[in-house]
Amino acid sequence: MRFFYLAFLIHITLRLNSQEDLFYKGSQISYAKVDNEFIAISQRPVTNREYIIYLMWLRNTFIYNPIYSDFFYNSVPGLNIDSIRKYTNTKLKDRIIDMNTVISFSKPFVRNYMFNPKYLDYPVVGVSWQNANNYGKWLADRYNEVTMIKKKLLCFHTTNSECDYFDTGFYMAGLWEGQLDIKLPEFDGESDFKDFTWGDHVFVPAFRLPSKNEVAKSNFKNTPTEFKAYPFNRQHFLHKWYKQYFYKENKVSYILTQLYNYEGYSRDTIIIDTNFTIKISGELLLNINQSNTKNILDIYLQNGQDQHLKEYYVEEYSWKKRLCETAIVNPCTIVDEDKNQNPIYMSEYENILPPDYINFKCFRLACSMGKKQYAKMIEK
């Protein structure tokens, strides 16, 4: 029995190392079993380009509604929120401003490094702990969205609004108001569509920062804190959004595009010719204190997040509410699954650890899942 189990693990390991589709093809992923749970951790940090795609998605989705525009503003590293709010309230009636103006209200490293054409594929730095985890949740939603697109259940939309963008947690809770592309062959007669359950293992939990324990038990070929480029390629599942937001890119400039033609404004030309080297001092981790806690759920609770059941989000008459109304009332993210293969919901991240603009840290992502869910990823 032990030999069979060992052979099974070796077989799984070989298959996992031969395919790298969990985050995206071409990425370098380290796999480990930590505290009886399968973990995948990226060997490479998130880059400026990838984070800019995230910012452009937030901007395109939320900036047209003043109620939700802070989703974008709060995600820009080093942005002087009070100053830009004052600017938008006094200078522009529509509160729609170009990216160069946003950058000008940020700290110098944002213009000279983060948005610099020379450093687009270098590690993004200066983001807060909350920003990094929010990015991970967003990335998992895009990964799951692409999964649905590959299954021909969704069409790729470039103009999502704050009410219909794909969100894994809201889909699982029955609160997503987007539209599936086709009718599935199996349905219950009352609904036109067969809803996936978490036990179907179609989706992955939210990506997040790795814990100290996970990093210690993983073997990495490259140090994630090196100041070097990590090229972006066509196999990256964010490439769909990259093509929408980046235009005419070269070594000295690029154009960020706005998908809505809003009063004639649609593009921002970014031209920067500055050498601005960043010294990376380390990486952000899920742990924000010196506790030796190893359990991921315990770390979440120590970090101020609350655990909830699905029923918490399905209130009376909630089916009448629009997603944009429930998103603020009941924020949630799926971080793992329990022994019964049910999703574990946690409250969204709070800003409990501000960014450090002196000792810049990069960040990478991890993802935890059960054995069956892990095996489902292998099949892809």
Side-chain angles (χ1 to χ4, degrees), residues 234-250:
R234 291 181 177 271
Q235 284 69 45
H236 197 308
F237 70 88
L238 286 182
H239 196 265
K240 293 178 178 292
W241 288 274
Y242 164 75
K243 291 191 299 183
Q244 301 297 323
Y245 302 137
F246 279 79
Y247 179 67
K248 287 189 176 181
E249 179 186 346
N250 55 52

Side-chain angles (χ1 to χ4, degrees), residues 23 30-42 133 206-220 283-287 291-297 299-300 335-336 364-369:
F23 291 165
S30 177
Y31 301 92
K33 190 175 182 181
V34 182
D35 297 332
N36 297 317
E37 188 168 41
F38 290 105
I39 307 294
I41 306 178
S42 175
N133 282 294
F207 299 149
R208 54 168 171 77
L209 294 176
S211 69
K212 291 186 292 186
N213 186 47
E214 291 169 344
V215 170
K217 291 189 176 183
S218 301
N219 297 319
F220 302 103
E283 66 170 312
L284 291 170
L285 297 175
L286 190 64
N287 314 70
S291 172
N292 293 323
T293 299
K294 297 180 180 180
N295 185 279
I296 294 296
L297 293 182
I299 293 175
Y300 279 130
V335 298
D336 204 344
R364 53 189 162 142
L365 299 172
C367 185
S368 59
M369 58 187 67

Side-chain angles (χ1 to χ4, degrees), residues 100-194:
N100 278 299
T101 301
V102 173
I103 296 171
S104 69
F105 279 95
S106 303
K107 291 187 179 296
F109 79 89
V110 175
R111 166 170 290 278
N112 296 328
Y113 173 69
M114 181 178 173
F115 282 85
N116 193 328
K118 298 179 181 180
Y119 302 118
L120 284 176
D121 293 313
Y122 283 73
V124 65
V125 298
V127 303
S128 68
W129 181 91
Q130 180 189 22
N131 289 154
N133 282 294
N134 285 345
Y135 172 85
K137 180 188 183 305
W138 171 85
L139 192 68
D141 286 339
R142 303 291 71 73
Y143 181 89
N144 292 332
E145 181 178 357
V146 169
T147 298
M148 295 284 277
I149 293 172
K150 288 180 178 179
K151 291 180 176 292
K152 298 183 178 180
L153 304 178
L154 284 178
C155 288
F156 175 63
H157 295 290
T158 60
T159 56
N160 291 321
S161 72
E162 71 276 4
C163 293
D164 62 6
Y165 66 90
F166 185 82
D167 180 281
T168 309
F170 281 101
Y171 181 87
M172 286 290 101
L175 297 176
W176 180 59
E177 286 210 343
Q179 185 68 43
L180 290 175
D181 186 41
I182 63 171
K183 291 185 178 181
L184 298 179
E186 299 179 20
F187 59 93
D188 58 13
E190 297 179 0
S191 171
D192 289 336
F193 305 105
K194 174 185 179 296

Side-chain angles (χ1 to χ4, degrees), residues 274-331:
T274 303
N275 289 316
F276 194 86
T277 303
I278 291 288
K279 184 177 180 181
I280 300 175
S281 64
E283 66 170 312
L284 291 170
L285 297 175
L286 190 64
N287 314 70
I288 61 172
N289 53 42
Q290 299 302 316
S291 172
N292 293 323
T293 299
K294 297 180 180 180
N295 185 279
I296 294 296
L297 293 182
D298 288 342
I299 293 175
Y300 279 130
L301 295 176
Q302 285 183 356
N303 292 345
Q305 287 185 264
D306 298 322
Q307 183 177 347
H308 300 291
L309 299 175
K310 174 182 176 181
E311 286 74 15
Y312 175 81
Y313 301 96
V314 185
E315 299 176 347
E316 186 178 5
Y317 305 119
S318 63
W319 59 274
K320 293 183 178 180
K321 298 180 180 179
R322 297 184 63 81
L323 175 60
C324 54
E325 294 173 343
T326 59
I328 301 300
V329 176
N330 298 320

Side-chain angles (χ1 to χ4, degrees), residues 359-371:
N359 299 306
F360 287 106
K361 292 185 177 181
C362 63
F363 76 94
R364 53 189 162 142
L365 299 172
C367 185
S368 59
M369 58 187 67
K371 184 186 298 183

Side-chain angles (χ1 to χ4, degrees), residues 213-231:
N213 186 47
E214 291 169 344
V215 170
K217 291 189 176 183
S218 301
N219 297 319
F220 302 103
K221 297 178 182 178
N222 302 312
T223 170
T225 57
E226 285 185 287
F227 186 74
K228 68 175 185 180
Y230 297 86

